[in-house]
């Protein structure tokens, strides 16, 4: 079953390679596309983990998902996973914004301290006059 999980990383790597271009990243639906792919990947990995417990687990799961209740569950699970991934993407963006703000603040403080140290030093022309 471990090879199956490793195999599931191939579509993710391919999608990352195809859709991680600046052209796609600027679209409004890029984050939703990423979260939908992530939700499908998580669901596939959960199914792949069942293989580790034997084929009976996968057969039972597929039989239950073939029913109306199973389809409703799959739809609801997909929505919940998608929402969770959207929240995680927003948390990552928030961290990135904080990091950018911290770097901007540090650069501004550095510029201010350099300006203050330059202003407090006597200029060479003033030093000669004294």
């Amino acid at each position: 079953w471990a090879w199956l999980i490793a195999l599931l990383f191939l579509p993710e790597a391919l999608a990352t390679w195809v859709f991680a271009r600046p052209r796609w990243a600027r679209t409004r639906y890029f984050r939703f596309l990423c979260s939908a792919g992530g939700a499908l990947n998580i669901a596939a990995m959960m199914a792949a983990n069942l293989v580790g417990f034997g084929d009976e687990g996968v057969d039972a799961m597929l039989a239950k998902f073939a029913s109306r209740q199973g389809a409703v569950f799959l739809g609801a699970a997909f929505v919940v996973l998608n929402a969770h991934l959207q929240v995680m993407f927003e948390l990552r963006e928030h961290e990135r914004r904080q990091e950018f703000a911290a770097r901007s603040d540090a650069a501004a403080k550095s510029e201010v301290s350099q300006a203050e140290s330059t202003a407090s030093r006597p200029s060479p022309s003033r030093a000669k006059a004294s």
Side-chain angles (χ1 to χ4, degrees):
W1 58 271
W3 62 267
L4 192 57
I5 291 176
L7 196 62
L8 288 172
F9 282 113
L10 289 176
E12 182 180 354
L14 181 65
T16 301
W17 182 73
V18 170
F19 293 112
R21 318 272 172 156
R23 180 185 84 164
W24 286 98
R26 285 179 285 203
T27 60
R28 291 184 313 198
Y29 52 86
F30 179 71
R31 258 174 72 166
F32 179 76
L33 185 67
C34 289
S35 66
L40 287 173
N41 198 9
I42 290 171
M45 286 203 182
M46 289 190 306
N49 275 322
L50 283 177
V51 173
F53 295 107
D55 293 338
E56 305 86 33
V58 176
D59 292 339
M61 182 185 73
L62 291 176
K64 289 185 181 187
F65 286 161
S67 69
R68 181 179 167 94
Q69 290 174 337
V72 169
F73 171 78
L74 276 178
F78 181 76
V79 168
V80 168
L81 286 172
N82 202 343
H84 171 69
L85 288 167
Q86 288 289 340
V87 169
M88 293 308 298
F89 287 153
E90 184 55 37
L91 284 173
R92 285 285 168 98
E93 284 297 317
H94 178 70
E95 289 170 356
R96 220 174 268 136
R97 286 188 296 263
Q98 280 184 330
E99 184 179 313
F100 178 75
R103 273 195 256 142
S104 296
D105 289 345
K109 287 177 184 175
S110 173
E111 288 175 12
V112 168
S113 66
Q114 285 177 353
E116 288 174 351
S117 67
T118 304
S120 65
R121 276 191 251 149
S123 66
S125 60
R126 278 192 238 162
K128 289 179 185 177
S130 341

